[in-house]
Amino acid sequence: MAATDRVLLHVPEPRAAAPRTRTFSRPRPARARRQAEATKRRYRESSEAPPAKRRSEASCLPAKKTAGKETQGTFQGKAPKTFSPKKSSAGGSDRNQERKPGIKTSSLFKNNPEIPELHRPVVKQVQEKVFTSDAFHELDLHPHLISTINSVLKMSSMTSVQKQSIPVLLEGRDALVRSQTGSGKTLAYCIPVVQSLQAMESKIQRADGPYALILVPTRELALQSFETVQKLLKPFTWIVPGVLMGGEKRKSEKARIRKGINILISTPGRLVDHIKSTKNIHFSRIRWLILDEADRILDLGFEKDITVILNAINAECQGRQNVLLSATLTEGVARLADISLHNPVSISVPDESHDRSDPKSRVVLEASAPRTGSELDSFAIPAGLDQHVTVVPSKLRLVSLAAFILQKCKFERDQKMVVFFSSCELVEFHYNLFLQTLLGGSGAPAQGRLPSASTQFGFLRLHGDMEQEERTAVFQEFSRSKAGVLLCTDVAARGLDLPQVTWIVQYNAPASPAEYIHRIGRTARIGCRGSSLLILAPSEAEYVNSLASHKINISEIKMEDILSVLTKDDCFKRSRRGNQKSHAVGPQEIRERATVLQTVFEDYVHSSERRVSGAKKALQSFIRAYATYPRELKHIFHVRLLHLGHVAKSFGLRDAPKNLSALSVKKKKANLKRPDLQRRTQSRHRLAEILRSEYSSGMETSVAKVKKQSECAGPGSQRPASAVGKKQAQKPHGGTARLPRKYL
Ligand SMILES: Nc1ncnc2c1ncn2[C@@H]1O[C@H](COP(=O)(O)OP(=O)(O)OP(=O)(O)O)[C@@H](O)[C@H]1O
C-alpha cells in the first residue's frame, strides 16, 4: 500500500488522555468491499436510512467519551478526523475529480447521492415597474399630509401601486391590491386612511374608538405598520393610533383601549383576546377594514380568529371599506373576496414584460373581469433580485451554509443576510452553534448585539418562541445594523421592511411559491438590488421546476464554489504531521478544509450531553417540519426520502440517533393503518396548532403547551391560500367556526 494511503491523523479530543490514532486505510478484501458497497447502494436506491451505526465511517468517539466540560470549537489547531484513502463511491462533488490512487477523502464526501443536473425551464418572470414619475402633491390630499410625506418620510414620487390604489381607495371602493414585495403597499392604504379620517366633518374624538382596523399576521409587522401610521398622523394630532400585539401587559393594553384608539393595528389573535375579555372595545364607528398580507390572514391558522373579529364588527357596524393586500393574492383569496367584498376593484401593477396593448396588462381590473389561474399564481419578483439555488447532499448542508455565511459576511463588506429555517428549534440550534464556532468563542459578541466593526459580523435570531421584548429588540437591532446575519423562522417572512438586506438564504425550502416570494422579498426592496440562495438536497432538486411553473427563474451555484471560500483562510487548514505537504488549492484541499469545519461543528456538539441532546432535538424538529409539506409537494419532500444518518451529520451528530429512526418507523407503520382521510385531518389540525403558536397573541396559556409539543412553524404551515375553501369545509380546529359567506 502506498504511504500516502495510510493516513494517520491525530484527533485532539478535549479530555482524551492520550492521542487517539486510528487507521482506516487497511485495504479490505475485495469481496468484503464489494459487499459493503452493494449494501450502501441498496440503501441509497431504496432511500432508506442505513443502520444508524456507522463506526467504520465515523472516526469519532461516542458522545460519552468527549462529554464533560463544555468546550469551544475553534478552527486553529483542529485536525479533521482520519481521512480514509478509500475512493469516494458517489457524490456529485466527486464527479469531476480524477480518481487517483492515494487521494484522501473524508466520510463527509463519501456515499453521497449524485447531485442531479438541474434542468431549469427558462421562464419569463413577471416584472413590475416600481416607481412612477407622478408626485404625491398631484393627488388631492391635505397639504399637511403631503408635506409630511415629503419631509418626514422623505418621499416625493409615488410607486406604481400607490398611484393606482390611492385614488381608488379615496373614492370609497373596496379593493384587492396585489403588487410585488417592497413596492410600497403600506402607504398605499395608510395614506387614504389618514386622508379620509382627517377630513371627516365632525372631528374625530379619541373616545370614539376605532375608525380603522388594520390586521397583520405578525407582531413585528404590527409594530412596523404602527410606526408608519404614527408618522403620517404627525400633523393630525387628534387622531390616535394604537397597536395591540402581545408582549405588553394585558392591563395596560386595556387601559389604552379604554382611553380610545382611532386607528387600531393588531394581530388577529391579540384582537380576539380583547374582544373576549375587554368590555370597552367597540367597533360601531369602523369605516376601514384592512387585511395586510391578506392571503396569510385568511389562511388556516387565523380562520377562527378572523371569524370572531368579523362577527364582532358586523354586529356593530355595516358599510365600511374593505381592503385586502398582498404580494401573493392567490386565486383562492381572490375568489373568496369576490363573493365577500362590495363591488371591489382589483388592483395589480401591470407586468412590464407584457405587450402594453394587451388588454390583460390593464392597470386596474374590475373584479368581475375574468382572471386565469396562472395570472394569479405567477407572482412578480423585484427586477433587482438575483435568485440562486444550490444542490447540496445532506451531509454537507451544514458546512455549505457556514461557508456561504463566511463567504458573504466575513470576506465581503457590509453584507446583511437573513437565513430562513423551518422551526424555532432549528434557529436556536444554528444560532448557538455558529455563535460559538464561527465567531471563535471568546470574540463572540454578547447575545442580541451585532459588533460594530465592519471586519466582524454577528448573529441574531428571531422566532416565535422568544419573549416579545427580545423579539422587538432583535427586530430593531437588525433593522438598524449595516451587516450581520439574522437566523429566523417564517415569522420574519411577511411584510418586514428590513433595510439593506443583501442576501436571503432559505436553508429549508418553503412549502409554497407564495412563501418563497415573501421570504426572498425581504431583499431588493423599493428598486434596490439583492440576492437569494435556496439550498436543496439532491432529492429535492425537482422543486426548481415547481417554482418555474410559477414563473420563478433561478440560477445554479455549485456547492464546490461555495465551499471554495474555505481556502481563503488558513484557519480551516488541516494540520499535518511532519513533512506532509499540503495540497495546492484544488478540490482535495477544499474537501479537507470542509472536513476541518465539519469537525469543529461535531466537536462542539459532542462536547457535552446537553449539546448532543440539543442537536437531536433540532434534528427531530427538522423531521417533524419536513413531514408537514403539503400533499402536492410530498413527492419532493417526504420524510422517507431523507437519509437519517446523513441528515444527522448536518446537525453535527456523528450518527443518526437511534430513537429517531424508531420514531419514523413507528410513524410509518401507524400511517399504514390509518385511513387517508383521518390522517389528513389530523395533520391539518397539527398544522393549525403549529401556525397558531408561531403567530400567537401572546396571551393564551394553551399556546405555550402547543409550543412545547411542536416546532413553531413547519414549512407545511405555509399553506397556499388557495386552500381556504377546502379548509373551511374540513373545519380543522374541530370547532363550529366558519367564515360567514358575506364576511367582510
Ligand atoms: N413612494 C415611495 N418612495 C420611496 N420609498 C417608498 C415609497 N413608498 C414606500 N417606500 C418605502 O419602500 C419600502 C417598502 O415599502 P412597504 O413595506 O410598504 O412594501 P410592501 O409592498 O408592503 O412590501 P411587502 O409585500 O414585503 O409587505 C419601505 O421602506 C417604504 O418606506
Side-chain angles (χ1 to χ4, degrees):
M1 180 180 209
T4 46
D5 277 26
R6 299 179 59 87
V7 183
L8 302 177
L9 282 181
H10 170 211
V11 182
E13 291 292 345
R15 288 169 67 103
R20 184 165 60 95
T21 53
R22 281 182 141 198
T23 309
F24 291 99
S25 52
R26 197 172 304 132
R28 286 193 252 171
R31 208 169 117 222
R33 199 170 55 230
R34 271 200 306 276
Q35 269 174 359
E37 289 300 325
T39 311
K40 282 172 193 162
R41 237 186 346 264
R42 255 203 324 277
Y43 282 123
R44 276 201 307 279
E45 280 159 12
S46 67
S47 301
E48 276 178 48
K53 206 162 171 193
R54 285 171 164 265
R55 287 278 169 235
S56 63
E57 226 183 79
S59 57
C60 58
L61 291 173
K64 249 196 308 204
K65 289 199 183 167
T66 50
K69 208 174 92 195
E70 293 191 355
T71 55
Q72 207 112 275
T74 54
F75 295 128
Q76 296 294 0
K78 284 280 170 190
K81 296 167 290 189
T82 308
F83 285 85
S84 160
K86 239 180 72 187
K87 288 172 190 169
S88 175
S89 62
S93 52
D94 300 342
R95 277 174 305 171
N96 303 325
Q97 191 178 335
E98 263 182 66
R99 306 261 169 134
K100 292 181 203 153
I103 237 172
K104 296 180 288 293
T105 54
S106 83
S107 67
L108 203 55
F109 289 87
K110 281 199 299 182
N111 305 323
N112 288 318
E114 277 292 330
I115 296 179
E117 289 290 327
L118 286 185
H119 299 290
R120 294 173 299 109
V122 181
V123 287
K124 198 163 189 189
Q125 285 188 171
V126 180
Q127 299 254 292
E128 291 176 7
K129 190 174 163 216
V130 178
F131 279 105
T132 67
S133 53
D134 300 41
F136 283 104
H137 63 73
E138 290 171 44
L139 294 170
D140 189 16
L141 300 175
H142 191 290
H144 289 173
L145 182 52
I146 291 172
S147 66
T148 304
I149 294 168
N150 294 159
S151 58
V152 178
L153 298 180
K154 307 211 178 327
M155 295 169 193
S156 50
S157 54
M158 287 182 274
T159 63
S160 302
V161 70
Q162 290 161 358
K163 182 184 167 184
Q164 288 151 36
S165 309
I166 296 172
V168 169
L169 295 180
L170 286 175
E171 276 172 26
R173 302 281 302 269
D174 279 5
L176 291 157
V177 182
R178 188 177 86 163
S179 73
Q180 68 185 26
T181 51
S183 58
K185 289 187 287 297
T186 314
L187 282 180
Y189 69 80
C190 285
I191 290 174
V193 167
V194 171
Q195 167 65 24
S196 77
L197 296 188
Q198 64 76 32
M200 281 181 63
E201 265 176 31
S202 61
K203 204 170 173 180
I204 286 178
Q205 304 290 310
R206 181 173 187 176
D208 290 350
Y211 282 83
L213 175 59
I214 300 167
L215 292 177
V216 297
T218 65
R219 302 178 200 173
E220 286 71 25
L221 188 50
L223 194 62
Q224 186 179 288
S225 308
F226 169 70
E227 283 168 3
T228 303
V229 171
Q230 214 176 18
K231 285 178 189 159
L232 287 180
L233 284 175
K234 271 201 161 129
F236 314 111
T237 49
W238 64 93
I239 305 172
V240 178
V243 61
L244 307 176
M245 54 168 231
E248 195 183 354
K249 282 203 179 95
R250 194 192 288 205
K251 225 173 159 185
S252 57
E253 274 190 356
K254 276 175 188 272
R256 285 194 295 120
I257 292 170
R258 198 168 48 244
K259 280 189 198 159
I261 296 173
N262 305 126
I263 300 180
L264 181 58
I265 299 137
S266 182
T267 54
R270 191 63 165 186
L271 186 59
V272 166
D273 285 320
H274 283 291
I275 289 172
K276 289 179 177 168
S277 68
T278 306
K279 261 197 254 149
N280 295 306
I281 194 154
H282 295 298
F283 300 103
S284 55
R285 292 191 169 85
I286 288 280
R287 296 194 160 210
W288 291 88
L289 176 62
I290 317 276
L291 268 56
D292 197 359
E293 308 297 341
D295 52 330
R296 158 62 70 230
I297 296 263
L298 295 173
D299 204 349
L300 180 67
F302 292 121
E303 181 191 356
K304 224 174 165 184
D305 291 343
I306 290 295
T307 306
V308 172
I309 293 167
L310 294 172
N311 285 342
I313 298 176
N314 288 342
E316 288 189 57
C317 104
Q318 298 293 328
R320 66 187 169 268
Q321 231 177 307
N322 302 292
V323 188
L324 273 60
L325 305 101
S326 178
T328 52
L329 274 183
T330 50
E331 201 179 3
V333 179
R335 230 187 359 249
L336 191 66
D338 275 355
I339 58 163
S340 318
L341 301 179
H342 175 66
N343 190 23
V345 177
S346 179
I347 296 167
S348 61
V349 178
D351 177 1
E352 284 236 296
S353 58
H354 268 182
D355 179 1
R356 290 288 173 145
S357 58
D358 184 345
K360 274 187 188 164
S361 69
R362 277 179 307 156
V363 166
V364 179
L365 299 170
E366 289 302 309
S368 55
R371 277 164 289 181
T372 64
S374 65
E375 206 179 311
L376 279 162
D377 290 341
S378 301
F379 310 116
I381 292 174
L385 214 166
D386 296 321
Q387 301 164 75
H388 307 277
V389 62
T390 185
V391 182
V392 176
S394 294
K395 276 203 232 175
L396 286 146
R397 280 175 76 80
L398 184 58
V399 283
S400 297
L401 173 64
F404 190 73
I405 291 173
L406 291 169
Q407 181 186 341
K408 295 297 157 198
C409 300
K410 185 169 174 173
F411 299 112
E412 291 177 25
R413 286 176 66 91
D414 293 341
Q415 296 286 335
K416 202 164 155 183
M417 184 184 283
V418 179
V419 186
F420 284 99
F421 294 89
S422 57
S423 77
C424 306
E425 284 88 348
L426 286 180
V427 172
E428 277 297 317
F429 169 75
H430 289 91
Y431 172 73
N432 289 317
L433 179 70
F434 290 160
L435 204 64
Q436 295 300 324
T437 54
L438 296 187
L439 296 186
S442 57
Q447 281 199 0
R449 295 192 62 81
L450 285 172
S452 50
S454 61
T455 48
Q456 262 284 15
F457 71 98
F459 290 95
L460 290 169
R461 51 47 162 130
L462 187 68
H463 58 74
D465 220 6
M466 289 162 58
E467 290 296 322
Q468 187 52 43
E469 223 169 88
E470 197 187 357
R471 267 171 76 163
T472 305
V474 165
F475 169 56
Q476 288 170 344
E477 178 86 48
F478 192 69
S479 296
R480 279 196 301 268
S481 71
K482 282 208 159 56
V485 186
L486 177 71
L487 311 181
C488 60
T489 59
D490 276 327
V491 80
R494 291 266 181 166
L496 293 195
D497 189 49
L498 302 160
Q500 294 155 353
V501 171
T502 50
W503 275 94
I504 302 296
V505 177
Q506 305 194 52
Y507 192 58
N508 306 117
S512 73
E515 286 330 297
Y516 175 89
I517 297 285
H518 286 283
R519 284 175 170 191
I520 62 170
R522 297 317 98 208
T523 188
R525 296 175 73 74
I526 204 83
C528 294
R529 291 209 70 84
S531 308
S532 67
L533 176 70
L534 172 66
I535 302 179
L536 295 176
S539 59
E540 299 166 349
E542 204 194 318
Y543 188 61
V544 172
N545 293 334
S546 163
L547 293 175
S549 68
H550 295 276
K551 294 197 180 174
I552 295 169
N553 228 344
I554 197 162
S555 66
E556 189 178 5
I557 298 182
K558 294 280 180 200
M559 177 184 74
E560 291 81 352
D561 294 338
I562 292 174
L563 293 178
S564 67
V565 73
L566 301 176
T567 59
K568 284 192 182 171
D569 194 329
D570 278 351
C571 69
F572 304 109
K573 211 168 176 177
R574 181 165 66 97
S575 50
R576 288 163 197 280
R577 302 176 90 215
N579 56 0
Q580 277 183 21
K581 279 193 189 145
S582 88
H583 293 272
V585 172
Q588 179 61 17
E589 180 66 17
I590 292 171
R591 286 162 179 227
E592 289 185 1
R593 289 181 180 222
T595 308
V596 170
L597 183 53
Q598 176 71 17
T599 307
V600 170
F601 293 143
E602 290 182 13
D603 285 350
Y604 169 82
V605 166
H606 287 270
S607 63
S608 80
E609 296 284 5
R610 191 173 60 84
R611 287 175 179 171
V612 170
S613 124
K616 284 183 185 172
K617 253 175 79 180
L619 169 58
Q620 193 151 17
S621 157
F622 165 78
I623 293 169
R624 270 203 229 116
Y626 210 84
T628 65
Y629 278 98
R631 202 155 27 124
E632 60 271 21
L633 287 177
K634 279 270 192 256
H635 64 292
I636 303 173
F637 303 99
H638 198 291
V639 179
R640 273 203 307 270
L641 300 172
L642 293 176
H643 184 311
L644 273 188
H646 289 192
V647 175
K649 255 204 165 333
S650 71
F651 288 85
L653 291 164
R654 289 168 178 151
D655 294 306
K658 284 191 190 116
N659 50 348
L660 280 185
S661 324
L663 190 92
S664 61
V665 170
K666 235 195 249 168
K667 213 166 37 181
K668 237 190 269 176
K669 280 185 186 159
N671 284 350
L672 285 176
K673 282 184 209 158
R674 265 188 304 190
D676 207 17
L677 186 67
Q678 189 189 349
R679 201 169 66 220
R680 241 186 2 243
T681 312
Q682 287 187 354
S683 101
R684 277 167 200 277
H685 191 94
R686 199 178 66 241
L687 280 178
E689 287 179 338
I690 290 167
L691 187 69
R692 289 168 69 79
S693 71
E694 182 70 335
Y695 296 108
S696 77
S697 71
M699 277 178 164
E700 313 94 317
T701 47
S702 60
V703 162
K705 279 187 212 155
V706 174
K707 275 187 194 159
K708 291 280 174 288
Q709 290 160 5
S710 63
E711 65 280 333
C712 302
S717 64
Q718 312 310 314
R719 291 175 45 78
S722 56
V724 165
K726 282 184 224 154
K727 279 177 306 206
Q728 284 178 50
Q730 288 177 338
K731 289 189 278 181
H733 303 295
T736 52
R738 259 171 190 275
L739 285 180
R741 199 177 142 79
K742 272 277 174 198
Y743 72 101
L744 284 172

